[in-house]
């Protein structure tokens, strides 16, 4: 026997036969007001006994569930972040569906979704009260809906943390066409930009593209005209491509003393949702979106205003846990790349430019093998 159902976890005997029922459960869990991730565990009976999954019942893969969600019409294209895992308990197979706690709630559809006799209604916000889901023909309690929107807009957060959702609301910013902008619903939040370095060489291969050098700017995020933080931003002016300096994780480098040492820099460039750099990245992409087009967050990173010349193999992680897991796998597979491409650089004879060519190949190898 296991613990009873709670607001943030539920149990099912088997996987849903009806996909609308699955989507309804995910929506209810995703919209729960709770600080941690939420879980649906499959293979548990109604009296909370572990019975395991039957081989005769319907099964899903993580890709099945993600594809199902992506094919629905979610408001603002904000889709719940899920992870499906299989495990064994006492010789019985269970499945755990984790729905990440993300401040994008409330999640809801903008078009009805019907499967069989069950319909998820457009514009309706579902959640949970105690250990029960909001029925499909009802709405979540008004108090819970208010709490979701307050979390979405960061109304209960300190100014710097509240900047994250405000930045992502790019359509409500007004810029003077020079170097200043403010948030129209709350002008106390503003941004001032300053160019601090003309194009030139840098430490990373993408800063040394032969036909165009980037400019480094500073974005000063202000509250009541006081600087909260200054963020470095990179801009390829001729390309029309601007983005915050990404997070940089160096998996190995020359004379690093790491378990597996390389003659090149095995750098991973990324943004992670729920961080200031990602929110500013989202904001800048929103400002540079062509009229009538949606924000393009697809990778590799490229300009949105013309056919791209520059493409950068940056990664986007949904959660810290996802990032840690993928970087760990990359480190394990690092010798595979090193044996095929790392050997193309000889530190005793080749110059830095040659090494950066290998650095670039590694970035694309990581992107193609772990992101696409």
């Amino acid at each position: 026997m296991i613990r009873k159902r709670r607001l943030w976890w539920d149990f099912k005997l088997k996987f849903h036969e009806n996909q609308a029922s699955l989507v309804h459960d995910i929506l209810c869990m995703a919209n729960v007001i709770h600080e941690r991730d939420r879980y649906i565990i499959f293979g548990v009976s109604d009296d909370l006994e572990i019975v395991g999954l039957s081989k005769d019942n319907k099964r899903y893969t993580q890709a099945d569930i993600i594809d199902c969600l992506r094919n629905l019409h979610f408001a603002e294209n904000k889709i719940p972040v899920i992870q499906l895992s299989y495990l064994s308990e006492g010789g019985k197979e269970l499945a755990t569906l984790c729905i990440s706690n993300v401040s994008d709630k409330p999640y809801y559809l903008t078009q009805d979704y019907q499967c069989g006799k069950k319909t998820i209604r457009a514009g309706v916000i579902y959640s949970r009260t105690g250990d029960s889901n909001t029925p499909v023909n009802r709405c979540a309690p008004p108090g819970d809906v208010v709490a979701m929107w307050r979390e979405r807009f960061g109304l209960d957060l300190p100014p710097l943390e509240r900047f994250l959702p405000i930045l992502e609301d790019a359509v409500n910013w007004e810029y003077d066409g020079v170097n200043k902008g403010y948030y129209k619903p709350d002008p106390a939040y503003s941004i001032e930009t300053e160019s601090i370095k003309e194009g030139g060489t840098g430490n990373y291969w993408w800063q040394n593209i032969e036909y165009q050098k980037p400019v480094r700017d500073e974005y000063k995020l202000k509250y009541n005209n006081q600087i909260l933080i200054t963020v470095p931003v990179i801009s390829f002016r001729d390309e029309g491509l601007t983005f915050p300096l990404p997070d940089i994780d160096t998996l190995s480098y020359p004379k690093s003393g790491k378990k597996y040492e390389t003659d090149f820099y095995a750098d991973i460039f990324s943004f992670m949702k729920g961080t200031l750099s990602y929110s500013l990245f989202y904001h800048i992409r929103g400002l540079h979106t062509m009229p009538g087009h949606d924000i393009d967050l697809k990778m590799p990173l490229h300009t949105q205003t013309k056919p791209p010349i520059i493409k950068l193999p940056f990664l986007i992680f949904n959660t810290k846990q996802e990032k840690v897991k993928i970087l760990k796998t990359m480190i394990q597979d690092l010798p595979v790349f090193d044996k095929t491409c790392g050997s193309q650089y000889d530190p005793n004879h080749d110059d830095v430019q040659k090494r950066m060519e290998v650095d670039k190949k590694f970035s694309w190898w990581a992107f193609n093998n772990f992101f696409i």
Side-chain angles (χ1 to χ4, degrees), residues 89-107:
E89 178 66 33
K92 298 175 181 178
E93 186 182 33
L94 301 175
T96 301
L97 181 63
C98 174
I99 299 97
S100 297
N101 180 36
V102 181
S103 59
D104 287 340
K105 56 184 79 70
Y107 294 97

Side-chain angles (χ1 to χ4, degrees), residues 243-262:
F243 53 90
L245 184 69
D247 298 332
I248 302 166
D249 293 274
T250 303
L251 307 186
S252 187
Y253 55 92
K255 300 179 182 180
S256 63
K258 292 181 177 289
K259 185 176 180 180
Y260 190 87
E261 189 175 290
T262 57

Side-chain angles (χ1 to χ4, degrees), residues 37-81:
D37 294 340
R38 336 56 234 277
Y39 300 88
I40 302 175
I41 303 173
F42 301 91
V44 180
S45 67
D46 287 339
D47 57 6
L48 304 185
E49 180 182 355
I50 297 177
V51 297
L53 294 169
S54 169
K55 295 181 179 179
D56 298 328
N57 294 134
K58 184 178 183 67
R59 293 203 170 215
Y60 292 95
T61 64
Q62 178 165 308
D64 291 333
I65 300 175
I66 291 175
D67 286 345
C68 172
L69 295 175
R70 285 179 175 172
N71 287 328
L72 302 180
H73 297 272
F74 278 89
E76 301 180 77
N77 292 318
K78 293 186 181 294
I79 299 173
V81 178

Side-chain angles (χ1 to χ4, degrees), residues 101-119:
N101 180 36
V102 181
S103 59
D104 287 340
K105 56 184 79 70
Y107 294 97
Y108 60 95
L109 301 183
T110 56
Q111 289 186 21
D112 284 356
Y113 171 55
Q114 183 174 2
C115 184
K117 297 182 179 180
K118 190 151 189 171
T119 301

Side-chain angles (χ1 to χ4, degrees), residues 71-201:
N71 287 328
L72 302 180
H73 297 272
F74 278 89
E76 301 180 77
N77 292 318
K78 293 186 181 294
I79 299 173
V81 178
I82 64 97
Q83 183 168 343
L84 180 66
S85 304
Y86 285 88
L87 63 150
S88 179
E89 178 66 33
K92 298 175 181 178
E93 186 182 33
L94 301 175
T96 301
L97 181 63
C98 174
I99 299 97
S100 297
N101 180 36
V102 181
S103 59
D104 287 340
K105 56 184 79 70
Y107 294 97
Y108 60 95
L109 301 183
T110 56
Q111 289 186 21
D112 284 356
Y113 171 55
Q114 183 174 2
C115 184
K117 297 182 179 180
K118 190 151 189 171
T119 301
I120 308 300
R121 295 180 297 157
V124 175
I125 297 172
Y126 301 100
S127 186
R128 282 171 69 82
T129 301
D131 60 0
S132 300
N133 288 345
T134 306
V136 290
N137 61 346
R138 297 185 183 180
C139 301
D144 288 354
V145 176
V146 169
M148 294 177 209
W149 284 113
R150 289 189 68 85
E151 181 178 348
R152 164 75 76 89
F153 292 113
L155 297 181
D156 300 318
L157 299 174
L160 184 57
E161 292 183 36
R162 193 182 170 203
F163 238 119
L164 274 67
I166 285 177
L167 284 170
E168 294 187 27
D169 188 22
V171 296
N172 280 314
W173 280 77
E174 183 77 30
Y175 280 85
D176 64 4
V178 184
N179 70 332
K180 294 180 180 179
Y182 67 93
Y183 186 53
K184 290 186 288 186
D186 189 349
Y189 289 88
S190 62
I191 295 176
E192 182 176 342
T193 66
E194 180 182 355
S195 183
I196 63 170
K197 187 177 181 180
E198 295 301 323
T201 59

